[in-house]
Amino acid sequence: MARTTKHKSSTAAIHDQTLHRGAGGELHQIAEGDTPVMTTAQGGPVSDDQNTLKAGARGPSLIEDFHFREKIFHFDHERIPERVVHARGYGAHGYFETYESLAKYTRADLFQRAGEKTPAFVRFSTVAGSKGSFDLARDVRGFAVKIYTKEGNWDLVGNNIPVFFIQDAIKFPDLIHSVKPEPDRAFPQAQSAHDNFWDFISLTPESMHMIMWVMSDRAIPRSFRFMEGFGVHTFRFLNAKDESTFVKFIWKPKLGLQSVVWNEAVKINGADPDFHRRDLWDAIQSGNFPEWELCVQLFDQDFADSFDFDVLDPTKLIPEEVIKPVPVGRLVLDRMPDNFFAETEQVAFMTQNVPPGIDFSNDPLLQGRNFSYLDTQLKRLGSPNFTHIPINAPKCPFAHFQQDGHMAMRNPVGRTNYQPNSRGEGPREDPTRGFRSFAEEIEAPKVRLRAESFADHYSQARQFFNSQTVTEQTHIAMALTFELSKVEEPVIRERMVAHLLNIDEALGAAVADKLGLEKLPKPADAAIAPRDDLPASPALSIIENGPMSFAGRKLGVLVSDGCDAALLKKLQAAIGKEGATVELVAPKVGGVTAADGTRLPAHNMIDGGPSVLFDAVALLLSPEGAGQLTGEAAARDFVADAFAHCKFIGFTAEAMPLLAKAGVEVDEGVMPLDDAGAIAGFVQSCRKLRLWAREPSVKN
Ligand code: HDD
């Protein structure tokens, strides 16, 4: 196999070693000069890779052509089954850095020493779509973190939403069947806007809290870098004395929260289906390493007993105002995989991967997940030896007597492969360092029952809705209306509205009105009457938790021949100082010639760089350029969309005709850029990310 190694990552080093020991990789480097000779997978040099072996130049192909046979055989088997859920994902390497010792709460090795860095791999994903689907689906985002600790891999397999649709894992196949393409017609792809999903949801009141989140802007994040991650379930920390503290895990993005609006999401999917992938790739490749703080909400049994809801119920959260999340470390992503398949596709996350000092709670969803993930890895990766793949292998020493099976790469040496043995050979268990479960006393009848304490399905849904700004509440109502408008069976729409009335009467009525329901249904029967005394939790709003910074964001500047290069330079400097980037959009990708003769190469031609790809835009045009662009639909859309999506728009006076033609009524977010002072003001406004006050007039 001809192999070229760009730079040696730790994973590559493991790979090399394996090749060295297993196959004598260096034998294949039969090189002439620096170019390695192509060989078959068996190592035989290949003389012709352009033509199959034939009986005569125009004759039939011969089956003895082992090179062709091997090449096509391998190609035919390149795909492994995609994940049943979370098929579309994107990963990156990095590290977790511990802030201070948490020994008081947990004996987990990675939390013992301040400043220690532990290698990590993260895979972000959507849930419903196939591997090739688009990034801006309205969907939950997976946020799966593998931390290679010195005492085994810890997988925190979470989402960007702190609650889930269902309370018991036995409903997971039904939930996923309902959201995936309908089985007879095989559509819609990567969308929940169809009958099956809403039929299931409207018959599953426990989903209502999650539905509020999924219909909110959380489900259309601007970037992986700008979203939170949640472990969802309650876990346990166990300290050296085996004392337990309950813990919930939250990842907080350093760059703050940000989402897009639905109209924008739909257009991004057309303009750049890989929008989120590209964003992560660009950020890491340019050295702007994304970062999250790991925060923990810690509580004891007394709090659990006194909390309004059951801490084992994954459809509930503990508001940050009730238990403040404490930062305990940071996650930095600083390296893209060398190979997508080897790492991002083959990475196997499993909730049951916890190191000593972290333990499970009895959350019935978590318990079911712990059972499920091992199965899925065997199916997908095809062998119980999937931990031999470098991305899944622990980075600490490991030793056991598991052996053989498909593709076994690490094989035991010596005679003894069992324990106990009288030769004193091989690994032995260690009761002190080894994993111990919390010794919870359990005496209970064996039953199939849902706890009464799980029965309140509406109160936290209402609390979430009440915690949103008016803008966000409007987005939720519009998302629900859009999704339900795609549902063909009226009874499902009505059933959903009946649930909404239990969450917020005005929301239910607004959605009913927008759907054109003839009359309002009765509110759904509630197992427990929804509470209206839960205080709003500002931590639940994206807008309330904006970064007040433009760092990590992107300004798109539309330029034309004859534009003002000096002004552009000032703008670029101001945006650069803010920690953001500038991309030029021009009539031709080759660029434009500014009034002073400077040649300015563009990143995109207008059709390829619509404003939905940017967080704010500026129009730096000459009078002729503006005149020309008013005649181009893509240029008018560039401006009209930026305005409709409530973005800040900077412009030079020459661009006025284009603004007018695009239907823009100049407001406080459409800002002249005539001098350095104006540029500073524009950049300052961009920190707000959007001018939401404009929204009622443009109706997103
Ligand atoms: Fe799951 C993948 C997150 C409930 C069964 N899940 C998967 C991934 C994430 C989550 C992020 C992708 C991992 C990756 O990037 O490879 N899943 C969640 C969260 C849940 C949840 C946050 C609820 C709190 N999942 C859940 C249940 C079950 C599963 C209840 C089954 C009982 N999940 C799976 C799976 C997947 C998976 C089928 C598909 C591919 C994989 O595991 O590796 O086993």
Side-chain angles (χ1 to χ4, degrees):
M1 188 199 299
R3 304 181 68 246
T4 46
T5 314
K6 276 182 291 166
H7 53 271
K8 283 256 187 298
S9 64
S10 48
T11 346
I14 295 172
H15 204 168
D16 276 354
Q17 229 180 32
T18 314
L19 271 178
H20 181 76
R21 276 198 276 121
E26 75 282 9
L27 286 180
H28 304 308
Q29 308 299 319
I30 312 165
E32 210 171 274
D34 280 344
T35 314
V37 169
M38 176 186 280
T39 70
T40 64
Q42 302 287 346
V46 171
S47 60
D48 182 343
D49 190 44
Q50 315 304 320
N51 304 289
T52 47
L53 187 66
K54 300 183 202 73
R58 301 179 59 246
S61 299
L62 300 177
I63 55 171
E64 74 174 61
D65 185 349
F66 58 82
H67 168 51
F68 170 71
R69 163 87 171 110
E70 182 199 77
K71 184 176 177 181
I72 293 298
F73 150 82
H74 200 279
F75 171 76
D76 289 343
H77 294 84
E78 275 179 6
R79 296 286 172 275
I80 60 173
E82 66 172 35
R83 290 165 174 81
V84 189
V85 284
H86 297 265
R88 182 169 178 80
Y90 209 53
H93 293 272
Y95 60 87
F96 176 77
E97 183 177 349
T98 306
Y99 284 163
E100 57 190 300
S101 170
L102 293 183
K104 185 173 167 209
Y105 300 106
T106 175
R107 64 192 180 101
D109 184 73
L110 86 156
F111 290 124
Q112 301 308 304
R113 294 164 296 276
E116 184 162 301
K117 291 181 179 172
T118 311
F121 185 81
V122 178
R123 183 175 178 273
F124 302 107
S125 48
T126 50
V127 178
S130 308
K131 228 182 120 186
S133 55
F134 37 83
D135 278 349
L136 257 294
R138 172 176 293 286
D139 201 351
V140 186
R141 297 300 182 289
F143 194 126
V145 185
K146 192 184 277 292
I147 306 185
Y148 301 89
T149 85
K150 289 181 178 152
E151 291 195 329
N153 293 349
W154 177 31
D155 293 356
L156 187 55
V157 196
N159 282 338
N160 74 330
I161 291 181
V163 290
F164 202 63
F165 293 99
I166 47 171
Q167 295 172 323
D168 191 309
I170 200 168
K171 297 312 295 169
F172 192 67
D174 300 282
L175 166 73
I176 300 305
H177 286 175
S178 83
V179 73
K180 285 273 183 178
E182 300 189 2
D184 54 352
R185 61 210 66 188
F187 61 80
Q189 175 59 240
Q191 284 175 61
S192 51
H194 61 110
D195 284 60
N196 280 11
F197 178 71
W198 287 102
D199 189 24
F200 175 81
I201 292 297
S202 66
L203 296 168
T204 309
E206 71 204 55
S207 296
M208 292 311 142
H209 186 193
M210 179 70 167
I211 284 299
M212 286 295 106
W213 283 80
V214 181
M215 294 299 115
S216 81
D217 297 341
R218 296 264 179 172
I220 39 174
R222 154 68 175 80
S223 153
F224 300 137
R225 297 181 295 138
F226 310 145
M227 59 185 205
E228 289 178 316
F230 300 90
V232 180
H233 314 281
T234 295
F235 290 84
R236 285 181 192 274
F237 270 158
L238 297 182
N239 65 14
K241 292 190 214 144
D242 284 340
E243 291 161 342
S244 156
T245 307
F246 287 118
V247 55
K248 280 189 172 265
F249 296 104
I250 307 178
W251 297 105
K252 297 253 177 204
K254 189 175 170 199
L255 292 170
L257 299 180
Q258 189 185 342
S259 283
V260 299
V261 294
W262 177 241
N263 182 280
E264 194 182 4
V266 171
K267 290 171 179 168
I268 292 172
N269 284 332
D272 185 4
D274 306 305
F275 189 65
H276 284 161
R277 287 188 171 193
R278 197 183 304 279
D279 177 271
L280 191 64
W281 173 271
D282 286 350
I284 292 179
Q285 299 299 49
S286 62
N288 293 312
F289 303 137
E291 227 181 283
W292 288 259
E293 274 195 319
L294 178 65
C295 299
V296 293
Q297 287 179 303
L298 298 173
F299 55 98
D300 57 13
Q301 189 65 52
D302 285 348
F303 172 85
D305 294 340
S306 67
F307 184 51
D308 294 325
F309 303 95
D310 199 322
V311 298
L312 302 184
D313 175 355
T315 68
K316 307 297 186 296
L317 53 80
I318 301 177
E320 293 188 11
E321 292 77 6
V322 176
I323 297 183
K324 195 171 152 38
V326 182
V328 296
R330 67 181 187 131
L331 170 74
V332 179
L333 297 183
D334 60 0
R335 182 166 64 87
M336 291 309 297
D338 291 331
N339 179 277
F340 178 87
F341 178 84
E343 299 166 67
T344 308
E345 190 61 7
Q346 293 200 119
V347 65
F349 291 97
M350 301 197 290
T351 49
Q352 62 271 46
N353 284 354
V354 287
I358 299 179
D359 198 5
F360 314 112
S361 70
N362 294 337
D363 175 338
L365 198 69
L366 176 59
Q367 297 276 325
R369 294 180 73 195
N370 288 345
F371 187 79
S372 167
Y373 285 71
L374 189 56
D375 258 345
T376 213
Q377 308 314 347
L378 178 60
K379 168 75 189 164
R380 227 164 49 76
L381 298 163
S383 156
N385 292 319
F386 65 86
T387 52
H388 296 202
I389 300 172
I391 192 73
N392 294 323
K395 294 193 195 293
C396 60
F398 55 92
H400 50 70
F401 290 116
Q402 291 161 27
Q403 66 172 36
D404 302 353
H406 284 294
M407 312 291 168
M409 301 293 286
R410 297 172 191 273
N411 298 303
V413 284
R415 185 177 182 185
T416 311
N417 58 354
Y418 55 90
Q419 208 276 315
N421 66 70
S422 53
R423 300 186 194 106
E425 286 179 0
R428 295 295 298 266
E429 65 270 28
D430 180 338
T432 319
R433 275 189 59 205
F435 181 86
R436 291 189 303 274
S437 302
F438 178 63
E440 187 183 1
E441 300 275 344
I442 299 179
E443 194 183 332
K446 198 194 276 183
V447 290
R448 286 182 186 274
L449 266 187
R450 196 72 63 92
E452 273 300 313
S453 51
F454 282 35
D456 181 345
H457 303 315
Y458 299 104
S459 300
Q460 281 209 345
R462 173 179 288 182
Q463 183 179 34
F464 176 79
F465 187 73
N466 287 342
S467 304
Q468 306 300 304
T469 59
V470 173
T471 301
E472 290 166 312
Q473 289 184 338
T474 312
H475 290 177
I476 293 173
M478 285 166 48
L480 282 160
T481 309
F482 173 85
E483 296 266 320
L484 294 173
S485 76
K486 297 282 180 185
V487 169
E488 291 161 8
E489 295 170 60
V491 60
I492 300 176
R493 291 186 215 141
E494 278 167 35
R495 219 188 286 137
M496 265 320 296
V497 170
H499 287 297
L500 298 180
L501 291 169
N502 280 340
I503 297 169
D504 185 88
E505 240 173 87
L507 171 68
V511 173
D513 176 53
K514 285 182 201 301
L515 287 172
L517 245 63
E518 277 173 19
K519 72 178 198 335
L520 216 50
K522 265 194 356 221
D525 286 337
I528 287 189
R531 294 173 52 168
D532 51 17
D533 59 341
L534 297 178
S537 162
L540 299 178
S541 154
I542 296 177
I543 293 179
E544 294 282 337
N545 295 283
M548 271 321 281
S549 157
F550 201 56
R553 274 70 182 180
K554 206 187 263 187
L555 177 75
V557 183
L558 184 59
V559 289
S560 68
D561 281 333
C563 66
D564 183 342
L567 191 69
L568 175 64
K569 223 168 162 190
K570 280 186 208 146
L571 184 59
Q572 281 169 323
I575 290 288
K577 210 166 143 216
E578 188 73 10
T581 48
V582 173
E583 279 192 9
L584 298 193
V585 181
K588 294 180 188 166
V589 75
V592 295
T593 306
D596 65 0
T598 316
R599 190 72 196 153
L600 302 168
H603 294 88
N604 288 293
M605 70 180 284
I606 302 174
D607 303 70
S611 61
V612 291
L613 302 182
F614 306 108
D615 298 288
V617 299
L619 315 174
L620 262 54
L621 304 175
S622 62
E624 302 73 40
Q628 235 166 35
L629 290 175
T630 52
E632 286 193 30
R636 294 195 303 270
D637 286 351
F638 185 95
V639 179
D641 275 347
F643 186 71
H645 301 149
C646 303
K647 290 177 183 167
F648 289 92
I649 304 177
F651 69 100
T652 51
E654 296 78 9
M656 279 306 278
L658 182 58
L659 286 168
K661 198 78 180 177
V664 169
E665 285 171 27
V666 175
D667 60 20
E668 57 182 293
V670 183
M671 310 175 68
L673 290 179
D674 20 43
D675 57 32
I679 288 177
F682 174 65
V683 174
Q684 205 167 359
S685 293
C686 286
R687 292 179 188 160
K688 292 184 223 148
L689 304 179
R690 305 287 166 116
L691 179 67
W692 294 118
R694 184 191 294 152
E695 196 168 51
S697 65
V698 288
K699 290 209 181 115
N700 267 313

